[in-house]
Amino acid sequence: MSGTNLPWKVAFTRRADSDILEIFAFIAEQDGPDIAETILERFIEARDSLRELPDRGRIPPELARINIYSFREIQVKPYRVVYQNNKATHTVHIHIVADGRRNFTELLKERLLGLALTEYRRQ
């Protein structure tokens, strides 16, 4: 747990914000705006859950295999929401929202490896 009863702040990176917009647009075009709204509501519920339980997700297995443990993920099936907790600022930073059926190893490498290496070097 977070060690305090105050809710955590949750922030989306620009890329994660763009991920949500792209997912919404794609679903609205393919399946209709009502379905897209339902998915958006599920993302909002997931975000809100991180305010109270920021450590609830699992460590992405692709990162655990290379000994990177600073990121967590929750699922909004079929999507994966990858985030990182900053205990000093009491903030959850959402970095990726993407379809879990895609090649996540490449996506994580592209979007997170630089962040993880920077953090690793500080330790």
Side-chain angles (χ1 to χ4, degrees):
M1 273 302 276
S2 64
T4 181
N5 292 331
L6 295 174
W8 285 55
K9 293 175 268 180
V10 180
F12 286 83
T13 63
R14 285 188 192 124
R15 292 286 304 266
D17 201 35
S18 180
D19 291 340
I20 296 250
L21 293 173
E22 289 172 15
I23 290 167
F24 183 84
F26 177 80
I27 293 173
E29 183 177 307
Q30 296 295 311
D31 301 320
D34 291 341
I35 302 293
E37 278 290 327
T38 299
I39 295 294
L40 183 60
E41 287 171 12
R42 289 176 51 215
F43 285 135
I44 291 167
E45 289 171 9
R47 178 207 59 202
D48 291 348
S49 74
L50 292 174
R51 288 184 175 145
E52 300 300 322
L53 298 168
D55 294 323
R56 78 181 193 96
R58 70 177 185 165
I59 295 168
E62 299 89 347
L63 294 176
R65 281 194 289 273
I66 57 173
N67 299 320
I68 296 175
Y69 302 105
S70 59
F71 296 91
R72 303 185 84 71
E73 73 174 1
I74 56 174
Q75 294 194 354
V76 179
K77 291 192 179 197
Y79 302 97
R80 292 169 69 179
V81 178
V82 180
Y83 64 96
Q84 187 174 34
N85 296 335
N86 183 327
K87 293 185 191 301
T89 63
H90 209 64
T91 304
V92 175
H93 297 279
I94 297 176
H95 293 281
I96 297 174
V97 180
D99 192 320
R101 298 168 290 191
R102 67 184 286 186
N103 182 344
F104 238 73
T105 300
E106 287 303 312
L107 181 63
L108 292 169
K109 198 182 324 179
E110 172 192 325
R111 304 256 300 261
L112 299 180
L113 198 52
L115 291 171
L117 288 176
T118 300
E119 182 176 300
Y120 177 76
R121 288 183 186 125
R122 279 188 260 163
Q123 293 179 357

